[in-house]
Amino acid sequence: MVKTTALEFQRKFGEFQHQAQREPVEITRHGRREFVLMSAEQYDWLTAAAKRTHRTADATSVVIDAVERAEMDVEHTALDELLK
């Protein structure tokens, strides 16, 4: 992802506008990420993808049963400590 400061973005808006058609442009202010400029097509894809997510509460009983029966591989048992 291309990164630029807010000041540089103001000076070269046209360049970054063209760049954002190819990939998102991260705009920083005081060293912190503040905005991301992207094409309308990329934005539409992201919002559509967000709507395609499913809530756990909406899962079918078959999926819930499968998750309840699932077991974690023993090589990952140390991860249980992270949950405590």
Side-chain angles (χ1 to χ4, degrees):
M1 181 181 330
V2 176
K3 292 183 181 183
T4 187
T5 64
L7 184 60
E8 186 76 7
F9 178 75
Q10 288 174 339
R11 280 191 253 160
K12 297 181 179 180
F13 175 76
E15 279 182 43
F16 291 114
Q17 188 177 20
H18 291 296
Q19 183 71 34
Q21 290 296 326
R22 294 185 297 278
E23 66 179 317
V25 176
E26 184 176 284
I27 305 164
T28 62
R29 189 169 178 188
H30 304 295
R32 289 180 286 175
R33 184 171 86 160
E34 187 145 320
F35 300 102
V36 176
L37 178 68
M38 66 180 69
S39 69
E41 184 179 340
Q42 289 171 321
Y43 176 79
D44 291 343
W45 185 89
L46 283 174
T47 55
K51 291 176 185 173
R52 285 191 303 265
T53 60
H54 303 284
R55 297 175 346 135
T56 305
D58 297 334
T60 64
S61 60
V62 172
V63 172
I64 293 170
D65 291 342
V67 170
E68 287 175 345
R69 286 191 313 274
E71 293 183 20
M72 188 166 59
D73 193 305
V74 292
E75 70 182 71
H76 302 295
T77 53
L79 296 175
D80 287 336
E81 291 301 315
L82 296 175
L83 299 174
K84 295 179 182 178

